[in-house]
Amino acid sequence: MHEKFLQPYNPKDTEDRIYTLWEESGMFNPDHAVRMGVTDPKAEAFSIVLPPPNVTGQLHLGHAGMLTIEDIMVRFHRMDGKKTLWIPGTDHAAIATQSKVEKLLAKDNIRRHDLGRDAFLEHVQAFAHASQETILHQVKKMGASIDWSRLAFTLDDEREKAVHTAFIRMYHDGLIYQKERIVNWDPKGQTVISDDEVVHEERAGMMYTFKYSADFPIAIATTRPETKLGDTGVAVHPNDPRYQAYIGKTYTCTFAGQELEIRIVADEAVDPEFGTGAVGLTPAHSMTDWEIAERHDLPMKKVINEYAKMTVGMEGVLGQKTTVAREAIVAWIREQGLLEKEESITQNISTAERTGGIIEPLPKMQWWIDTEKKIIIPHNTIPGLDPQTPYSLKEVMLHVVQSGATNILPDRFEKVYYHWIEKLRPWNISRQIWYGHRIPVWYTKEGAPVLPKEQKLVFMRHGQSEYNVAGKIQGQYNAPLTETGREQARTAAASLVGTSFSKIICSDLDRAHETANIIAKELGLSVEVWPELREIDAGTLSGAPHHETLDTLAYVIQSGTGETLAELEARARIVVEKIKNMNTSEDILFVGHSTFTSLVFAVWHNIPAQDFLAKHGVWELSHTETEQIIRLHYPTDETLTQDEDTLDTWFSSGLWTFSTMGWPDSSQDLKEFHPTSVLETGYDIIFFWVARMILMTTYLLGTVPFKTVYFHGLVRDEQGRKISKSLGNNIDPLELINDYGADAVRMALIIGTGPGQDSKIGENKIKAYKKFANKLWNISRFILEQTHEVAYIPDYTYHADDQKLLDAQRALITEITEEMRNYKYYLVGEKLYHYMWHTLADDIIEDSKAIFAADDTQKKLSRQQFLIHTLSTCLKTLHPFMPYITEEIWQLIPDHHKDNSHMLMVQAWPQK
RNA sequence: GUACGAUUAGCUCAGUUGGUAGAGCGUCCGCUUGACUCGCGGAAGGUCAGAAGUUCGAAUCUUCUAUCGUACACCA
């Protein structure tokens, strides 16, 4: 037995070492796990993306809870034999990060406009970078078995390409448009925000009922008299008997020194019961008034500016803050004897989520996403939708949840989701801040928009050749197409009708050239031959049968008689350079070969061939199957100026499940891991993120982003309060890990949490699981002490007593396996705790003491076998919950107690 | 206002299709028991928020009420 067991379990001496062991093993990466023979290459995939934390600082307990649940999912599915991928990343969180940095700079009396856009962005980037480092460190400390080789950031180059491609496509489909509309203007943050970023706060206010002037026929009520300077109409209910005579008439009057022209209109939106039953309409400064005014074609008069100051009015009003102007106007109304009623009410006012600024509705030119326009969804493969029928984004978003293509847990959030979609207005996606994806639109001097041109470079494999039929390696041997191959080319051509290729470029080998010719003829295109596109020179293997397991490339390299990897890479580089120098942004179809195309992809993406092959292997393309690379051509005309605005941070987050997998280019990850299996996130971002991901993914990929959404609850403090900075109840997960170990923190965070259920956590709870870790440590010590000289016998026939214990254990495993599949982690955690402490330790081990003291060697051996078996079963089942201590104990178990030498992390989940 | 959720032991929560109320922590009493004092043995503690109904039987199903919470909508 290892001497470590002479001391109580010490997480501090264990966790970092174990994490390094996992990381260095490469097993967080599913491709590596397959290569090492741990995962079956044909295994089902399980993939999730980490909801990227904002780079605004550091993680809190809520993040820790999220990481725990996700890591449990991932570790369970990995052990259950799935090809398991968890992608890490962080979110630039535009407004949040920018305002954080602005606050930091304000301490040194620096404002962003003093610095200028570029210098300010350097500050933000430095901050974001430091913050990201902190966050990633915390993620590791929690024990997250996440694939660091795929780390992404919502604002890095790859994600920018995805964002721009998405924007361009939506623009051309008319889903993104620019329009002057009334928006939620945040005077404090000096930017527009979306409807979802507005939070309502209850405040005390005054409501005034008055007439514009003595001879105006109708009295109106308002809480904001200063906006009345911008009134252009009064709305009444069409059936209100009191006002029938006035409908359609226009009155002029002088209100607080301002000439007003007011038309009376009838609109259903007016509640005749409320106030005077008449609404003064201020189209420029009220959402609902704007909508009514639009229906009746009333003019709009802007009287408040971006700093919430009056732009018109008498002395004491003009140039004043709205709040000051209000008092002046109320005083005037009172003096004139126009005031009919004045009452104090509680009203809800709109504030900005991030800055707390009071929203000033203003008309502004902004970019919007239209969710009502019906369009043909490209590549639509969503079950239940006809690919040829136009749908609105709204309809699709509703459909995928209603049809169960995406399943939401717990169910009750489906209703919340539907409700949100039904009342969804156009989504404002432009922000007047600097940090974020700058809108990829340039303007001519005349103001005409210019967008980057998207170029599609599509790579197709040739049709079937005679050597393909014969199952032989071709390399550069010139085998002709078969009749089937020609048919495949014709079918491919038919499917390409309507695409916009300007020409076809093909390899000079007959099978590619002929395929290209057939397609070119059908589509009326020219064919250009590039000998550089040839398949790999297979040397002496040309004509030989395929290797049983190796792909052709690996086989050729191994043979040493054909092209070397370096030569291939060099040739691929020539091709890539040639493409880049072509000086065209037209779409091009390349017809070539599977293996060599893989190399072109690697070089194009600046991945060394060695790494590319290690990660993905070569493309295994079937005949006439295509892969694509998207190249964006940006405007180069110096007289153009780029839009000053940036995109809503949720625009880039909405692409997250696939922008992290190489989209818009083809990738192995997209094929294997998308749609993702589960999205695990907080229910507080159902609209911001979940709905937007569904919107973006269904439109851009024609699929759902995830099959299941699992909403976790909020983590609260011991008193059930929300964790917040102002309350000062924010506990740093790192401190807790330092005091109790990550395993204990994880257990405390998982137990007592169901989907959608808020959970409370305090140090006592964590302490309890630290004790449990130690208990497990001592259980292991006892078992190892009593069994170390015994070798494990896998199919041992147990004594009847032990068989009974084993049956009970198996029943438990069946039960918890089912619960793991149903996301009932909290239940499993509790059951394992109970089994290990109160069954294994209290009963089984206690009984064993007598057995080991007695002389019955049969019975003794049976119990020893049972304990060896049980310890490893316990470690395996508990591993997703408490990965560190279980792995540590596993490493200390002698080899003759194990089936294999792999780490616990990649052991198979017990079947029985 | 509308919708949703919660209400079970002092605290935090389980309770799967209705079949005699469960766990952890805490509390109290005892124990230097050869794995473990980060421990062991034992005990107390609940009209399952309230009312009505369905049922042979309700924490569980239905209706209403109360309290708390969340989201959405907000009316000038």
Side-chain angles (χ1 to χ4, degrees), chain A residues 711-770:
Chain A
F711 283 119
H712 61 242
L714 263 44
V715 175
R716 296 170 178 279
D717 73 359
E718 260 168 327
Q719 284 123 60
R721 299 175 304 180
K722 233 178 178 171
I723 309 261
S724 78
K725 252 175 245 146
S726 52
L727 280 172
N729 58 353
N730 178 33
I731 317 170
D732 183 355
L734 285 185
E735 270 174 42
L736 294 175
I737 290 171
N738 189 50
D739 292 347
Y740 304 104
D743 289 328
V745 175
R746 290 167 62 111
M747 276 299 261
L749 283 164
I750 194 67
I751 294 200
T753 63
Q757 197 66 47
D758 291 355
S759 69
K760 295 174 199 173
I761 188 165
E763 297 217 13
N764 278 336
K765 198 170 173 185
I766 304 170
K767 216 181 274 175
Y769 293 108
K770 181 174 191 249

Side-chain angles (χ1 to χ4, degrees), chain A residues 247-273:
Chain A
I247 293 169
K249 292 198 172 143
T250 302
Y251 297 84
T252 54
C253 54
T254 309
F255 175 69
Q258 189 71 20
E259 293 299 320
L260 298 184
E261 193 175 298
I262 306 282
R263 196 164 96 223
I264 315 293
V265 298
D267 199 282
E268 298 277 351
V270 180
D271 175 6
E273 304 295 315

Side-chain angles (χ1 to χ4, degrees), chain A residues 552-595:
Chain A
T552 305
L553 177 60
Y555 196 21
V556 168
I557 291 169
Q558 200 188 57
S559 82
T561 63
E563 250 173 318
T564 64
L565 194 56
E567 285 165 348
L568 275 173
E569 204 171 357
R571 183 150 67 86
R573 184 154 288 117
I574 291 171
V575 169
V576 167
E577 286 311 312
K578 216 167 156 180
I579 294 171
K580 287 188 175 165
N581 290 330
M582 275 170 76
N583 216 6
T584 174
S585 58
E586 300 291 324
D587 295 347
I588 297 170
L589 177 65
F590 294 85
V591 179
H593 312 268
S594 231
T595 305

